[in-house]
Amino acid sequence: MSIRRKLPPFTALTAFEAAARLGSFTKAAKELGVTQAAISRQIHVLEEQFGFPLFLRLHRKVKLTEKAMALASAAQDAFDLLANSVAEISKGDHDPELTIAATVAFSHFWLLPKISEFSSQHPEINLRIITQDDMPNIESSDLDVAIRFGNGMWPDGQAELLFDDEIFPVCSPDFAERAGTIASPKDLLRYPLISNMADDPTWTGWGEWLAAFSVELPKKKPGLRCSLYTDAIYSALNGQGITLGWRHLVEDLLAQGRLVKLTDAALKTRNAYFAVVPKRRRQSEAAGSFLDWLTETVNPAASPASKEAQPKRSE
């Protein structure tokens, strides 16, 4: 018997996959451009063929039955693979495109200053960089790689560790000269502290940083409050006060002498930066090249060239 005879009707599988993914016959109908009744009929066709219900009909939503969960997972994998294959062959002979997502701070201070190195190594790859703090679902978008900060556990992607970080107070050289010696973290309270109002619970603010050194942040401490971390850094660059510098984000500014560390006190982050790629989608050659470049940039000692240059140990 041919495989086609073993498979349910493609139209019915399409309706089932959409309803399972969206959890709604109405939303599936809207996505596929048909009526809700048409979706219900196609689901009924499958249920008749299998001999058991695929969905529990609840108020304003539907829920997969236990038996249907395996079918839903297989259907989504199959449709994703088919869609990706169609996308690949549709590109023809055009140059490959790589879509990367990163937060505003990471993109501004780390990725964009370094990405020209990747472009010079791979001039055939067209880059598209999406900068936003609210990260989209990587499985349901056209992203190839997302740079995220967190614990590495995201259901929509497979994460590869880039680096953890440490946080310490920074300011402009002129402000540091005016401030004088900072003997302990408590001394920072004498000066304006620049903060940013991050919605991300993994982001460390002044309250948490000072608490790590047994210092309580006053409730009405004067200081500039910014909506974005980039604004806080630029405010510090312009002498507005002291802000928290994340080492990997401000290392270039420190090397250029535009920012200075005020104290050796530093707090290790609980989380880290990861490169995240889709789990179900086949990785493109361009994405693989970018991940290799990231690894070599973050850890030059691990690159093949560095390993070849290291002297061999005598046997």
Side-chain angles (χ1 to χ4, degrees):
M1 183 182 292
S2 69
I3 188 172
R4 184 171 180 178
R5 290 179 181 270
K6 296 179 182 179
L7 291 175
F10 187 77
T11 303
L13 281 176
T14 303
F16 169 75
E17 189 278 334
R21 174 167 40 84
L22 299 171
S24 165
F25 287 4
T26 302
K27 291 179 181 179
K30 185 176 181 180
E31 180 178 283
L32 297 176
V34 298
T35 64
Q36 181 180 344
I39 296 294
S40 296
R41 284 195 300 272
Q42 295 301 328
I43 300 301
H44 182 69
V45 168
L46 290 180
E47 290 177 331
E48 284 287 310
Q49 181 170 343
F50 291 130
F52 55 81
L54 297 173
F55 291 95
L56 299 175
R57 276 72 168 176
L58 307 175
H59 182 60
R60 294 188 178 180
K61 65 178 181 178
V62 292
K63 182 179 179 182
L64 286 167
T65 61
E66 188 173 348
K67 285 186 176 182
M69 289 181 183
L71 178 62
S73 178
Q76 186 170 355
D77 288 347
F79 276 85
D80 286 343
L81 179 61
L82 183 60
N84 291 330
S85 297
V86 170
E88 284 294 322
I89 64 175
S90 298
K91 291 179 180 178
D93 296 328
H94 298 297
D95 289 340
E97 183 176 82
L98 180 66
T99 303
I100 307 162
T103 63
V104 175
F106 190 90
S107 177
H108 194 92
F109 293 121
W110 196 95
L111 183 60
L112 290 177
K114 296 176 173 60
I115 197 66
S116 61
E117 300 171 10
F118 174 78
S119 293
S120 65
Q121 294 175 22
H122 300 277
E124 77 284 358
I125 298 177
N126 295 316
L127 289 173
R128 183 163 72 101
I129 298 177
I130 298 175
T131 302
Q132 59 186 69
D133 287 337
D134 186 15
M135 282 285 176
N137 185 299
I138 197 169
E139 289 284 6
S140 58
S141 67
D142 60 352
L143 295 178
D144 296 297
V145 182
I147 310 298
R148 294 176 178 173
F149 182 79
N151 60 11
M153 304 294 289
W154 292 284
D156 62 327
Q158 180 176 334
E160 181 177 330
L161 176 66
L162 293 178
F163 45 73
D164 55 13
D165 218 333
E166 61 177 5
I167 310 166
F168 43 78
V170 296
C171 65
S172 69
D174 289 343
F175 191 94
E177 186 175 348
R178 295 197 303 271
T181 302
I182 303 293
S184 70
K186 188 175 182 179
D187 293 340
L188 295 168
L189 298 180
R190 302 200 303 262
Y191 305 99
L193 302 181
I194 304 170
S195 61
N196 66 292
M197 298 172 287
D199 294 328
D200 187 348
T202 65
W203 195 262
T204 301
W206 274 113
E208 182 180 350
W209 192 91
L210 288 167
F213 299 95
S214 302
V215 178
E216 184 178 355
L217 179 68
K219 291 184 178 179
K220 294 186 178 181
K221 178 75 178 74
L224 184 63
R225 297 180 67 197
C226 303
S227 59
L228 296 174
Y229 181 72
T230 48
D231 294 341
I233 290 296
Y234 279 111
S235 298
L237 286 168
N238 288 296
Q240 292 291 318
I242 305 166
T243 195
L244 289 172
W246 294 56
R247 181 169 64 87
H248 282 94
L249 299 185
V250 300
E251 58 187 355
D252 287 347
L253 295 172
L254 292 172
Q256 295 162 8
R258 299 174 63 191
L259 286 179
V260 295
K261 287 178 64 174
L262 274 176
T263 172
D264 289 334
L267 178 64
K268 284 281 188 181
T269 57
R270 297 186 304 274
N271 295 297
Y273 284 97
F274 293 85
V276 185
V277 297
K279 286 182 178 179
R280 294 188 175 94
R281 199 188 314 158
R282 186 177 62 185
Q283 187 180 106
S284 67
E285 186 175 338
S289 297
F290 180 71
L291 292 174
D292 288 342
W293 173 80
L294 273 179
T295 301
E296 293 171 8
T297 303
V298 168
N299 186 13
S303 66
S306 298
K307 290 179 180 179
E308 291 176 4
Q310 292 176 358
K312 294 182 179 180
R313 292 181 297 177
S314 58
E315 299 295 335

